[in-house]
Short mmCIF file of all heavy atoms in Angstrom, two decimals:
data_model
loop_
_atom_site.label_atom_id
_atom_site.label_comp_id
_atom_site.label_asym_id
_atom_site.label_seq_id
_atom_site.Cartn_x
_atom_site.Cartn_y
_atom_site.Cartn_z
N TRP A 289 -139.59 2.16 139.36
CA TRP A 289 -140.97 1.73 139.36
C TRP A 289 -141.37 1.15 140.67
O TRP A 289 -140.57 0.48 141.36
CB TRP A 289 -141.21 0.65 138.23
CG TRP A 289 -140.82 1.14 136.91
CD1 TRP A 289 -139.89 0.64 136.06
CD2 TRP A 289 -141.37 2.31 136.21
NE1 TRP A 289 -139.83 1.30 134.92
CE2 TRP A 289 -140.69 2.38 134.97
CE3 TRP A 289 -142.26 3.29 136.49
CZ2 TRP A 289 -140.99 3.37 134.04
CZ3 TRP A 289 -142.56 4.24 135.55
CH2 TRP A 289 -141.94 4.29 134.36
N THR A 290 -142.60 1.38 141.03
CA THR A 290 -143.09 0.84 142.32
C THR A 290 -143.44 -0.59 142.23
O THR A 290 -143.44 -1.28 143.22
CB THR A 290 -144.25 1.70 142.79
OG1 THR A 290 -145.29 1.65 141.84
CG2 THR A 290 -143.86 3.11 143.06
N GLU A 291 -143.87 -1.10 141.09
CA GLU A 291 -144.21 -2.47 140.94
C GLU A 291 -143.58 -3.07 139.70
O GLU A 291 -143.59 -2.47 138.62
CB GLU A 291 -145.77 -2.57 140.82
CG GLU A 291 -146.47 -2.15 142.09
CD GLU A 291 -147.99 -2.34 141.97
OE1 GLU A 291 -148.45 -3.25 141.22
OE2 GLU A 291 -148.70 -1.56 142.58
N GLY A 292 -143.16 -4.30 139.80
CA GLY A 292 -142.63 -5.04 138.68
C GLY A 292 -141.32 -4.45 138.16
O GLY A 292 -140.73 -3.52 138.62
N ALA A 293 -140.87 -5.09 137.08
CA ALA A 293 -139.57 -4.72 136.44
C ALA A 293 -139.76 -3.47 135.65
O ALA A 293 -140.83 -3.13 135.13
CB ALA A 293 -139.11 -5.84 135.53
N HIS A 294 -138.70 -2.72 135.48
CA HIS A 294 -138.65 -1.55 134.65
C HIS A 294 -139.02 -1.92 133.21
O HIS A 294 -138.57 -2.97 132.73
CB HIS A 294 -137.26 -0.88 134.68
CG HIS A 294 -137.23 0.43 133.99
ND1 HIS A 294 -137.13 0.58 132.66
CD2 HIS A 294 -137.23 1.67 134.55
CE1 HIS A 294 -137.09 1.87 132.37
NE2 HIS A 294 -137.16 2.58 133.48
N PRO A 295 -139.85 -1.15 132.50
CA PRO A 295 -140.27 -1.48 131.13
C PRO A 295 -139.11 -1.73 130.19
O PRO A 295 -139.22 -2.51 129.23
CB PRO A 295 -141.14 -0.31 130.69
CG PRO A 295 -141.57 0.31 131.94
CD PRO A 295 -140.50 0.08 132.96
N ALA A 296 -137.95 -1.07 130.36
CA ALA A 296 -136.87 -1.28 129.54
C ALA A 296 -136.35 -2.70 129.48
O ALA A 296 -135.78 -3.15 128.50
CB ALA A 296 -135.68 -0.32 129.94
N SER A 297 -136.55 -3.45 130.57
CA SER A 297 -136.09 -4.80 130.59
C SER A 297 -136.86 -5.71 129.64
O SER A 297 -136.42 -6.80 129.28
CB SER A 297 -136.18 -5.37 132.02
OG SER A 297 -137.51 -5.45 132.42
N ARG A 298 -138.00 -5.23 129.16
CA ARG A 298 -138.77 -6.03 128.17
C ARG A 298 -138.47 -5.64 126.74
O ARG A 298 -139.01 -6.31 125.81
CB ARG A 298 -140.28 -5.80 128.47
CG ARG A 298 -140.73 -6.29 129.84
CD ARG A 298 -142.20 -6.28 129.98
NE ARG A 298 -142.80 -4.94 129.91
CZ ARG A 298 -143.01 -4.15 130.92
NH1 ARG A 298 -142.69 -4.49 132.15
NH2 ARG A 298 -143.57 -2.97 130.76
N LEU A 299 -137.69 -4.66 126.52
CA LEU A 299 -137.31 -4.25 125.13
C LEU A 299 -136.21 -5.13 124.60
O LEU A 299 -135.28 -5.49 125.31
CB LEU A 299 -136.91 -2.78 125.16
CG LEU A 299 -137.97 -1.74 125.51
CD1 LEU A 299 -137.33 -0.39 125.59
CD2 LEU A 299 -139.07 -1.77 124.50
N PRO A 300 -136.21 -5.36 123.31
CA PRO A 300 -135.09 -6.14 122.71
C PRO A 300 -133.82 -5.28 122.70
O PRO A 300 -133.86 -4.07 122.52
CB PRO A 300 -135.57 -6.44 121.29
CG PRO A 300 -136.65 -5.43 121.00
CD PRO A 300 -137.24 -5.06 122.32
N ASP A 301 -132.69 -5.90 122.88
CA ASP A 301 -131.40 -5.21 122.82
C ASP A 301 -131.05 -4.90 121.37
O ASP A 301 -130.85 -5.82 120.58
CB ASP A 301 -130.32 -6.07 123.43
CG ASP A 301 -128.97 -5.36 123.58
OD1 ASP A 301 -128.81 -4.26 123.02
OD2 ASP A 301 -128.08 -5.91 124.20
N ARG A 302 -130.99 -3.68 121.03
CA ARG A 302 -130.67 -3.21 119.65
C ARG A 302 -129.21 -2.81 119.53
O ARG A 302 -128.80 -2.27 118.49
CB ARG A 302 -131.54 -2.09 119.23
CG ARG A 302 -133.02 -2.42 119.27
CD ARG A 302 -133.37 -3.32 118.11
NE ARG A 302 -134.84 -3.50 118.05
CZ ARG A 302 -135.40 -4.53 117.55
NH1 ARG A 302 -134.67 -5.49 117.07
NH2 ARG A 302 -136.68 -4.65 117.53
N GLY A 303 -128.41 -2.96 120.62
CA GLY A 303 -127.01 -2.65 120.49
C GLY A 303 -126.66 -1.16 120.68
O GLY A 303 -125.55 -0.75 120.38
N VAL A 304 -127.64 -0.34 121.12
CA VAL A 304 -127.37 1.07 121.34
C VAL A 304 -126.98 1.34 122.75
O VAL A 304 -127.60 0.81 123.69
CB VAL A 304 -128.67 1.90 121.00
CG1 VAL A 304 -128.40 3.37 121.28
CG2 VAL A 304 -129.10 1.68 119.59
N ARG A 305 -125.82 2.02 122.96
CA ARG A 305 -125.34 2.31 124.25
C ARG A 305 -125.00 3.77 124.36
O ARG A 305 -124.47 4.39 123.42
CB ARG A 305 -124.01 1.50 124.55
CG ARG A 305 -124.19 -0.03 124.42
CD ARG A 305 -124.98 -0.59 125.60
NE ARG A 305 -125.11 -1.98 125.57
CZ ARG A 305 -126.12 -2.67 125.00
NH1 ARG A 305 -127.08 -2.04 124.37
NH2 ARG A 305 -126.16 -3.99 125.05
N LEU A 306 -125.22 4.35 125.53
CA LEU A 306 -124.81 5.72 125.78
C LEU A 306 -123.26 5.76 125.87
O LEU A 306 -122.66 5.04 126.65
CB LEU A 306 -125.38 6.21 127.08
CG LEU A 306 -125.00 7.67 127.52
CD1 LEU A 306 -125.61 8.67 126.52
CD2 LEU A 306 -125.51 7.95 128.86
N ALA A 307 -122.65 6.53 124.99
CA ALA A 307 -121.21 6.58 124.93
C ALA A 307 -120.61 7.82 125.64
O ALA A 307 -119.56 7.77 126.21
CB ALA A 307 -120.73 6.60 123.50
N ALA A 308 -121.34 8.98 125.58
CA ALA A 308 -120.83 10.19 126.21
C ALA A 308 -121.98 11.20 126.44
O ALA A 308 -122.95 11.22 125.73
CB ALA A 308 -119.80 10.84 125.31
N VAL A 309 -121.80 11.98 127.48
CA VAL A 309 -122.65 13.10 127.74
C VAL A 309 -121.75 14.31 127.82
O VAL A 309 -120.81 14.35 128.60
CB VAL A 309 -123.41 12.94 129.08
CG1 VAL A 309 -124.22 14.17 129.43
CG2 VAL A 309 -124.28 11.67 129.07
N GLU A 310 -122.03 15.31 127.03
CA GLU A 310 -121.19 16.51 126.96
C GLU A 310 -122.04 17.72 127.41
O GLU A 310 -123.08 18.06 126.78
CB GLU A 310 -120.70 16.71 125.54
CG GLU A 310 -119.62 17.73 125.44
CD GLU A 310 -119.06 17.72 124.02
OE1 GLU A 310 -119.62 18.46 123.17
OE2 GLU A 310 -118.13 17.01 123.75
N LEU A 311 -121.66 18.34 128.49
CA LEU A 311 -122.32 19.51 129.00
C LEU A 311 -121.44 20.72 128.69
O LEU A 311 -120.27 20.80 129.10
CB LEU A 311 -122.53 19.45 130.51
CG LEU A 311 -123.35 18.23 130.99
CD1 LEU A 311 -123.18 18.05 132.46
CD2 LEU A 311 -124.80 18.36 130.57
N VAL A 312 -121.96 21.67 127.93
CA VAL A 312 -121.20 22.87 127.57
C VAL A 312 -121.85 24.08 128.33
O VAL A 312 -123.03 24.23 128.28
CB VAL A 312 -121.24 23.08 126.01
CG1 VAL A 312 -120.47 24.33 125.65
CG2 VAL A 312 -120.74 21.87 125.33
N HIS A 313 -120.99 24.91 128.91
CA HIS A 313 -121.50 26.00 129.66
C HIS A 313 -120.42 27.10 129.80
O HIS A 313 -119.21 26.73 129.88
CB HIS A 313 -121.90 25.55 131.08
CG HIS A 313 -122.76 26.50 131.80
ND1 HIS A 313 -122.19 27.61 132.51
CD2 HIS A 313 -124.10 26.63 131.93
CE1 HIS A 313 -123.19 28.27 133.05
NE2 HIS A 313 -124.37 27.75 132.71
N PRO A 314 -120.80 28.37 129.79
CA PRO A 314 -119.80 29.41 129.92
C PRO A 314 -119.02 29.32 131.27
O PRO A 314 -117.88 29.79 131.33
CB PRO A 314 -120.62 30.72 129.83
CG PRO A 314 -121.94 30.37 129.50
CD PRO A 314 -122.13 28.95 129.56
N GLN A 315 -119.68 28.84 132.27
CA GLN A 315 -119.02 28.68 133.60
C GLN A 315 -118.85 27.20 133.93
O GLN A 315 -119.31 26.67 134.93
CB GLN A 315 -119.86 29.38 134.67
CG GLN A 315 -120.00 30.86 134.45
CD GLN A 315 -120.98 31.52 135.41
OE1 GLN A 315 -121.71 30.85 136.13
NE2 GLN A 315 -120.93 32.84 135.46
N ALA A 316 -118.16 26.55 133.00
CA ALA A 316 -117.98 25.10 133.10
C ALA A 316 -117.31 24.63 134.38
O ALA A 316 -117.65 23.61 134.94
CB ALA A 316 -117.19 24.56 131.87
N GLU A 317 -116.37 25.40 134.82
CA GLU A 317 -115.62 25.00 136.07
C GLU A 317 -116.56 24.95 137.24
O GLU A 317 -116.56 23.98 138.04
CB GLU A 317 -114.52 26.00 136.36
CG GLU A 317 -113.59 25.55 137.49
CD GLU A 317 -112.39 26.50 137.61
OE1 GLU A 317 -111.74 26.87 136.63
OE2 GLU A 317 -112.12 26.87 138.77
N GLY A 318 -117.42 25.93 137.40
CA GLY A 318 -118.42 25.97 138.48
C GLY A 318 -119.40 24.85 138.37
O GLY A 318 -119.83 24.20 139.34
N LEU A 319 -119.87 24.61 137.12
CA LEU A 319 -120.83 23.53 136.85
C LEU A 319 -120.21 22.18 137.22
O LEU A 319 -120.87 21.34 137.85
CB LEU A 319 -121.27 23.54 135.38
CG LEU A 319 -122.26 22.45 134.97
CD1 LEU A 319 -123.54 22.48 135.81
CD2 LEU A 319 -122.55 22.58 133.49
N ALA A 320 -118.96 21.96 136.78
CA ALA A 320 -118.30 20.68 137.05
C ALA A 320 -118.16 20.50 138.57
O ALA A 320 -118.34 19.39 139.09
CB ALA A 320 -116.95 20.70 136.38
N ALA A 321 -117.79 21.57 139.29
CA ALA A 321 -117.69 21.47 140.74
C ALA A 321 -119.02 21.12 141.42
O ALA A 321 -119.07 20.32 142.35
CB ALA A 321 -117.11 22.75 141.30
N ALA A 322 -120.10 21.73 140.92
CA ALA A 322 -121.41 21.45 141.50
C ALA A 322 -121.87 20.02 141.22
O ALA A 322 -122.50 19.38 142.08
CB ALA A 322 -122.43 22.45 140.95
N LEU A 323 -121.53 19.48 140.06
CA LEU A 323 -121.91 18.12 139.66
C LEU A 323 -121.01 17.02 140.24
O LEU A 323 -121.45 15.86 140.33
CB LEU A 323 -121.97 18.01 138.16
CG LEU A 323 -122.99 18.84 137.44
CD1 LEU A 323 -122.86 18.71 135.94
CD2 LEU A 323 -124.44 18.43 137.90
N ALA A 324 -119.81 17.34 140.56
CA ALA A 324 -118.87 16.39 141.03
C ALA A 324 -119.32 15.45 142.14
O ALA A 324 -119.16 14.25 142.08
CB ALA A 324 -117.49 17.05 141.43
N PRO A 325 -120.01 15.96 143.18
CA PRO A 325 -120.50 15.09 144.23
C PRO A 325 -121.66 14.16 143.80
O PRO A 325 -122.01 13.20 144.41
CB PRO A 325 -120.95 15.97 145.37
CG PRO A 325 -120.61 17.37 145.01
CD PRO A 325 -120.23 17.37 143.57
N LEU A 326 -122.27 14.56 142.65
CA LEU A 326 -123.51 13.83 142.19
C LEU A 326 -123.23 12.83 141.10
O LEU A 326 -123.96 11.87 140.96
CB LEU A 326 -124.53 14.86 141.72
CG LEU A 326 -124.92 15.94 142.68
CD1 LEU A 326 -125.77 16.98 142.01
CD2 LEU A 326 -125.59 15.37 143.88
N ILE A 327 -122.16 13.11 140.30
CA ILE A 327 -121.97 12.29 139.10
C ILE A 327 -120.53 11.77 139.09
O ILE A 327 -119.59 12.55 139.12
CB ILE A 327 -122.24 13.08 137.81
CG1 ILE A 327 -123.66 13.54 137.80
CG2 ILE A 327 -121.93 12.24 136.61
CD1 ILE A 327 -124.02 14.47 136.67
N ASP A 328 -120.40 10.45 139.07
CA ASP A 328 -119.06 9.83 138.99
C ASP A 328 -119.10 8.90 137.83
O ASP A 328 -119.26 7.67 137.96
CB ASP A 328 -118.70 9.08 140.29
CG ASP A 328 -117.33 8.45 140.24
OD1 ASP A 328 -116.52 8.93 139.46
OD2 ASP A 328 -117.08 7.52 140.99
N ASP A 329 -119.03 9.45 136.60
CA ASP A 329 -119.14 8.69 135.37
C ASP A 329 -118.18 9.26 134.32
O ASP A 329 -118.32 10.43 133.97
CB ASP A 329 -120.51 8.68 134.86
CG ASP A 329 -120.77 7.66 133.76
OD1 ASP A 329 -119.90 7.50 132.89
OD2 ASP A 329 -121.91 7.11 133.70
N PRO A 330 -117.19 8.50 133.87
CA PRO A 330 -116.22 9.04 132.95
C PRO A 330 -116.83 9.43 131.58
O PRO A 330 -116.22 10.22 130.82
CB PRO A 330 -115.19 7.91 132.75
CG PRO A 330 -115.91 6.70 133.16
CD PRO A 330 -116.93 7.09 134.17
N ARG A 331 -118.07 9.04 131.31
CA ARG A 331 -118.68 9.41 130.06
C ARG A 331 -119.21 10.87 130.10
O ARG A 331 -119.51 11.42 129.03
CB ARG A 331 -119.89 8.47 129.79
CG ARG A 331 -119.43 7.02 129.52
CD ARG A 331 -120.66 6.13 129.40
NE ARG A 331 -121.43 6.14 130.64
CZ ARG A 331 -122.55 5.46 130.84
NH1 ARG A 331 -123.05 4.77 129.82
NH2 ARG A 331 -123.14 5.50 131.98
N VAL A 332 -119.32 11.44 131.30
CA VAL A 332 -119.85 12.79 131.43
C VAL A 332 -118.67 13.78 131.45
O VAL A 332 -117.79 13.69 132.29
CB VAL A 332 -120.69 12.95 132.75
CG1 VAL A 332 -121.18 14.37 132.91
CG2 VAL A 332 -121.82 11.98 132.78
N ARG A 333 -118.74 14.71 130.47
CA ARG A 333 -117.65 15.71 130.38
C ARG A 333 -118.32 17.09 130.38
O ARG A 333 -119.36 17.31 129.74
CB ARG A 333 -116.91 15.52 129.07
CG ARG A 333 -116.21 14.16 128.99
CD ARG A 333 -115.37 14.07 127.74
NE ARG A 333 -116.14 14.16 126.54
CZ ARG A 333 -116.44 13.14 125.74
NH1 ARG A 333 -115.99 11.98 126.01
NH2 ARG A 333 -117.15 13.36 124.69
N VAL A 334 -117.67 17.99 131.05
CA VAL A 334 -118.14 19.41 131.13
C VAL A 334 -117.11 20.24 130.44
O VAL A 334 -115.86 20.16 130.69
CB VAL A 334 -118.29 19.87 132.59
CG1 VAL A 334 -118.76 21.36 132.61
CG2 VAL A 334 -119.25 19.03 133.35
N LYS A 335 -117.56 21.02 129.43
CA LYS A 335 -116.65 21.82 128.59
C LYS A 335 -117.10 23.30 128.60
O LYS A 335 -118.26 23.57 128.74
CB LYS A 335 -116.65 21.30 127.16
CG LYS A 335 -116.15 19.88 127.04
CD LYS A 335 -116.43 19.32 125.67
CE LYS A 335 -115.41 19.91 124.65
NZ LYS A 335 -115.52 19.25 123.31
N VAL A 336 -116.12 24.19 128.35
CA VAL A 336 -116.44 25.59 128.25
C VAL A 336 -117.01 25.89 126.87
O VAL A 336 -116.51 25.40 125.86
CB VAL A 336 -115.21 26.47 128.47
CG1 VAL A 336 -115.49 27.89 128.24
CG2 VAL A 336 -114.63 26.22 129.85
N GLY A 337 -118.08 26.69 126.86
CA GLY A 337 -118.66 27.12 125.61
C GLY A 337 -119.53 28.37 125.82
O GLY A 337 -119.97 28.62 126.94
N ARG A 338 -119.81 29.09 124.81
CA ARG A 338 -120.52 30.31 124.90
C ARG A 338 -122.00 30.10 125.31
O ARG A 338 -122.56 30.81 126.14
CB ARG A 338 -120.49 31.09 123.56
CG ARG A 338 -121.04 32.45 123.57
CD ARG A 338 -120.79 33.22 122.27
NE ARG A 338 -121.41 32.57 121.12
CZ ARG A 338 -122.71 32.75 120.77
NH1 ARG A 338 -123.49 33.53 121.48
NH2 ARG A 338 -123.21 32.13 119.68
N LEU A 339 -122.63 29.08 124.73
CA LEU A 339 -124.04 28.76 125.03
C LEU A 339 -124.21 27.47 125.77
O LEU A 339 -123.56 26.46 125.39
CB LEU A 339 -124.85 28.67 123.73
CG LEU A 339 -124.97 29.95 122.89
CD1 LEU A 339 -125.65 29.63 121.59
CD2 LEU A 339 -125.70 31.00 123.65
N PRO A 340 -125.03 27.37 126.78
CA PRO A 340 -125.31 26.11 127.46
C PRO A 340 -125.84 25.12 126.44
O PRO A 340 -126.79 25.42 125.74
CB PRO A 340 -126.30 26.46 128.54
CG PRO A 340 -126.13 27.91 128.78
CD PRO A 340 -125.74 28.52 127.44
N THR A 341 -125.22 23.95 126.42
CA THR A 341 -125.60 22.92 125.42
C THR A 341 -125.46 21.57 126.07
O THR A 341 -124.55 21.37 126.89
CB THR A 341 -124.67 23.01 124.23
OG1 THR A 341 -124.62 24.34 123.74
CG2 THR A 341 -125.10 22.05 123.11
N LEU A 342 -126.35 20.63 125.73
CA LEU A 342 -126.28 19.26 126.12
C LEU A 342 -126.17 18.43 124.86
O LEU A 342 -127.00 18.54 123.95
CB LEU A 342 -127.49 18.85 126.89
CG LEU A 342 -127.74 17.35 127.24
CD1 LEU A 342 -126.58 16.90 128.12
CD2 LEU A 342 -129.05 17.13 127.79
N ARG A 343 -125.10 17.58 124.81
CA ARG A 343 -124.96 16.71 123.63
C ARG A 343 -124.77 15.25 124.19
O ARG A 343 -124.14 15.06 125.20
CB ARG A 343 -123.68 17.04 122.85
CG ARG A 343 -123.79 18.40 122.17
CD ARG A 343 -122.56 18.71 121.35
NE ARG A 343 -122.44 17.77 120.22
CZ ARG A 343 -121.32 17.36 119.67
NH1 ARG A 343 -120.19 17.85 120.08
NH2 ARG A 343 -121.34 16.53 118.66
N LEU A 344 -125.41 14.35 123.49
CA LEU A 344 -125.29 12.90 123.87
C LEU A 344 -124.73 12.12 122.68
O LEU A 344 -125.16 12.30 121.53
CB LEU A 344 -126.71 12.41 124.18
CG LEU A 344 -127.48 13.14 125.24
CD1 LEU A 344 -128.91 12.65 125.32
CD2 LEU A 344 -126.82 13.06 126.57
N ALA A 345 -123.86 11.25 123.01
CA ALA A 345 -123.29 10.32 121.98
C ALA A 345 -123.75 8.95 122.25
O ALA A 345 -123.67 8.49 123.40
CB ALA A 345 -121.72 10.41 121.95
N PHE A 346 -124.14 8.25 121.19
CA PHE A 346 -124.60 6.90 121.32
C PHE A 346 -123.75 6.00 120.46
O PHE A 346 -123.53 6.37 119.30
CB PHE A 346 -126.05 6.75 120.93
CG PHE A 346 -127.01 7.43 121.87
CD1 PHE A 346 -127.36 8.76 121.61
CD2 PHE A 346 -127.46 6.79 122.99
CE1 PHE A 346 -128.22 9.42 122.52
CE2 PHE A 346 -128.31 7.46 123.88
CZ PHE A 346 -128.69 8.74 123.65
N GLY A 347 -123.31 4.90 121.00
CA GLY A 347 -122.60 3.91 120.19
C GLY A 347 -123.64 2.90 119.67
O GLY A 347 -124.55 2.43 120.39
N THR A 348 -123.57 2.64 118.38
CA THR A 348 -124.50 1.66 117.72
C THR A 348 -123.70 0.68 116.92
O THR A 348 -122.51 0.84 116.74
CB THR A 348 -125.47 2.38 116.79
OG1 THR A 348 -124.80 2.84 115.66
CG2 THR A 348 -126.19 3.56 117.53
N THR A 349 -124.38 -0.25 116.38
CA THR A 349 -123.69 -1.29 115.56
C THR A 349 -123.16 -0.58 114.26
O THR A 349 -122.24 -1.12 113.64
CB THR A 349 -124.62 -2.41 115.14
OG1 THR A 349 -125.81 -1.88 114.60
CG2 THR A 349 -125.02 -3.20 116.38
N GLY A 350 -123.69 0.53 113.90
CA GLY A 350 -123.27 1.28 112.71
C GLY A 350 -122.26 2.39 113.03
O GLY A 350 -121.82 3.12 112.11
N GLY A 351 -121.83 2.51 114.28
CA GLY A 351 -120.89 3.57 114.62
C GLY A 351 -121.44 4.44 115.70
O GLY A 351 -122.44 4.16 116.35
N ARG A 352 -120.79 5.60 115.89
CA ARG A 352 -121.20 6.53 116.94
C ARG A 352 -121.99 7.70 116.33
O ARG A 352 -121.60 8.18 115.27
CB ARG A 352 -119.95 7.08 117.66
CG ARG A 352 -120.26 8.04 118.79
CD ARG A 352 -119.00 8.56 119.45
NE ARG A 352 -118.75 7.77 120.65
CZ ARG A 352 -117.97 8.16 121.59
NH1 ARG A 352 -117.37 9.32 121.56
NH2 ARG A 352 -117.78 7.41 122.67
N GLY A 353 -123.00 8.17 117.02
CA GLY A 353 -123.82 9.29 116.56
C GLY A 353 -124.06 10.21 117.72
O GLY A 353 -124.15 9.81 118.86
N TRP A 354 -124.15 11.46 117.43
CA TRP A 354 -124.41 12.53 118.43
C TRP A 354 -125.81 13.13 118.21
O TRP A 354 -126.30 13.28 117.12
CB TRP A 354 -123.35 13.66 118.25
CG TRP A 354 -122.01 13.33 118.72
CD1 TRP A 354 -121.01 12.78 118.03
CD2 TRP A 354 -121.52 13.56 120.05
NE1 TRP A 354 -119.89 12.61 118.79
CE2 TRP A 354 -120.19 13.07 120.06
CE3 TRP A 354 -122.02 14.09 121.23
CZ2 TRP A 354 -119.36 13.14 121.17
CZ3 TRP A 354 -121.23 14.16 122.33
CH2 TRP A 354 -119.93 13.67 122.35
N LEU A 355 -126.44 13.44 119.39
CA LEU A 355 -127.70 14.19 119.41
C LEU A 355 -127.45 15.47 120.09
O LEU A 355 -126.72 15.60 121.01
CB LEU A 355 -128.79 13.40 120.19
CG LEU A 355 -129.30 12.13 119.60
CD1 LEU A 355 -130.30 11.49 120.50
CD2 LEU A 355 -129.92 12.41 118.23
#
């Protein structure tokens, strides 16, 4: 933001945290190599799969859920 605090800082903490990002792609090795200089986060995983897919896991007070 160009002015003031990010709006997220005004939201109440509901205990939801990003637990994992899963990128699925038929050419996972090439994708991982391209992303390596940009992303250094152990929560981000690149896996081989037939169709490109993005999955997100969130940890909550009730457990883990995937989108």
Side-chain angles (χ1 to χ4, degrees):
W289 302 121
T290 57
E291 294 182 30
H294 188 280
S297 65
R298 296 189 299 268
L299 295 174
D301 185 351
R302 301 286 187 206
V304 177
R305 302 288 183 269
L306 180 65
V309 176
E310 191 174 88
L311 302 167
V312 180
H313 195 275
Q315 298 173 347
E317 188 175 313
L319 178 58
L323 293 175
L326 305 172
I327 301 173
D328 181 22
D329 190 323
R331 296 174 297 178
V332 179
R333 298 184 298 253
V334 181
K335 299 170 74 173
V336 175
R338 189 173 61 84
L339 295 174
T341 306
L342 171 65
R343 293 182 67 209
L344 306 171
F346 293 92
T348 70
T349 55
R352 183 181 262 200
W354 285 90
L355 292 178

